[in-house]
Amino acid sequence: MKIESRSHQLLAVDYPLIQSCDSCIASPESIAMLANSGVLPFVMVTEEDTQFSIFEKITKIKLLTSNPFGVKLVLEKSKNYKVYCEIVTVIKNNKISVLETDIESLSVLSELIDDKSIQIFCRCYSLVDAKLAQSKGCDGVIMMGGESIEGEGRKSISSLLLIPHCVENLNVPIIACGGFDSGKGLAAAFSLGAQAVAMERCLASCSDAQIIINDIVIQACKVVNFHLAPLK
C-alpha cells in the first residue's frame, strides 16, 4: 500500500516518511534498502567525502534501487569551497532530486544549484528560521520541534505548537520532526498540517525496517482516512 498525498507527489515516494539520521552513517546498501521500503532516505556527505567518494556511494545505491533518495549536505568551514562545487556537480549529474541542508548553508547551495532540477529542504528550528529559508528559495522546510534531539538542544518549542504556527505563516511544504516516529504520530503530524514526517530513529541498520515502516503506515491509516493504493 502507499499513501496518496501531496507529499507523495512532492517526494515521489510511497510513504510520506523521510529517514535522515545524524546518529549513524548509513551504508549504500542500507540506503537502498530503505528506498525500496517506500521511504525517502538521505545519503550524508561527511567531512571526509570528496566528489569521488560521493559518486561511488550514489552509483552503488542506484545499482540496488530505482527508487528516489536524497543527499544531506551541510557546508563545513574546514572543507574547501571548491570541493562543495564538485560534490554539487556530482549530485546534479546523477539526477539526485532532493537535497537536505541547514539555514547556514542554504544561500550557497541555492547559488550552486541554479535550476529547479533539485529540491532543497532546509532544517529549521523556529518560524523565524523557516521564513528566512523560504525567502532564500528553499522548496520545503523540515521543522525540528522541541521533542526532536536537535530541537531540544536548540530550545525549539513543541512540535504541537511549532507545526501549525508554521503552516499558517509559510507557503512551502512542511516536514515535521520530533515526536512523530509512530503511526499515530504520522497521523497527528498530518492533522497539524505537515506534508511528511522525518523519522529520527535510525532504521538504516535495522533488518526489520520494511516491517516497521508498514506497521507505521497501517497504524496511521487506522487513525485517519488515508486513501490506500497497492504498491507497484
Side-chain angles (χ1 to χ4, degrees):
M1 63 184 70
K2 65 183 178 183
I3 296 178
E4 298 284 0
S5 68
R6 183 184 174 194
S7 60
H8 171 259
Q9 299 174 346
L10 181 71
L11 303 173
V13 291
D14 293 324
Y15 308 139
L17 295 170
I18 289 175
Q19 173 73 86
S20 180
C21 182
D22 290 337
S23 63
C24 69
I25 307 299
S27 66
E29 292 78 11
S30 297
I31 294 293
M33 179 267 293
L34 290 170
N36 288 330
S37 297
V39 304
L40 183 71
F42 280 82
V43 182
M44 185 183 296
V45 177
T46 67
E47 194 170 338
E48 293 76 25
D49 276 319
T50 65
Q51 66 188 94
F52 304 107
S53 62
I54 292 299
F55 175 77
E56 185 178 0
K57 288 179 183 179
I58 292 174
T59 301
K60 285 182 178 179
I61 295 169
K62 286 195 167 186
L63 288 173
L64 299 171
T65 183
S66 58
N67 289 346
F69 59 93
V71 172
K72 182 174 182 178
L73 177 58
V74 176
L75 305 185
E76 302 285 349
K77 294 180 180 179
S78 58
K79 189 183 281 291
N80 189 303
Y81 176 78
K82 180 182 177 183
V83 176
Y84 285 114
C85 294
E86 294 168 343
I87 290 175
V88 169
T89 299
V90 170
I91 292 171
K92 292 173 70 173
N93 289 345
N94 281 273
K95 302 188 184 310
I96 300 299
S97 60
V98 185
L99 189 69
E100 179 190 338
T101 191
D102 61 10
I103 193 71
E104 289 81 12
S105 308
L106 181 58
S107 295
V108 176
L109 291 177
S110 295
E111 293 176 3
L112 292 176
I113 302 170
D114 53 2
D115 56 39
K116 283 297 181 181
S117 61
I118 300 177
Q119 298 179 90
I120 303 178
F121 285 81
C122 183
R123 283 198 174 202
C124 300
Y125 304 88
S126 67
L127 178 58
V128 173
D129 285 348
K131 283 186 172 181
L132 180 59
Q134 179 176 265
S135 70
K136 290 183 177 182
C138 76
D139 298 285
V141 291
I142 303 174
M143 298 309 304
M144 311 297 292
E147 295 85 354
S148 67
I149 297 172
E150 290 186 34
E152 183 181 7
R154 301 203 183 195
K155 300 186 186 318
S156 296
I157 63 174
S158 169
S159 297
L160 296 177
L161 299 174
L162 181 63
I163 301 304
H165 195 37
C166 290
V167 169
E168 291 177 1
N169 290 277
L170 299 174
N171 297 319
V172 296
I174 294 168
I175 297 172
C177 184
F180 300 115
D181 280 359
S182 67
K184 291 181 180 179
L186 175 60
F190 267 79
S191 69
L192 294 173
Q195 292 297 316
V197 165
M199 296 184 294
E200 281 200 301
R201 61 171 168 168
C202 182
L203 299 179
S205 59
C206 179
S207 59
D208 295 329
Q210 177 68 73
I211 297 174
I212 294 172
I213 292 166
N214 284 343
D215 286 345
I216 290 174
V217 173
I218 291 170
Q219 187 182 53
C221 293
K222 288 180 179 179
V223 178
V224 294
N225 186 26
F226 283 123
H227 171 66
L228 297 182
L231 277 174
K232 295 180 180 178

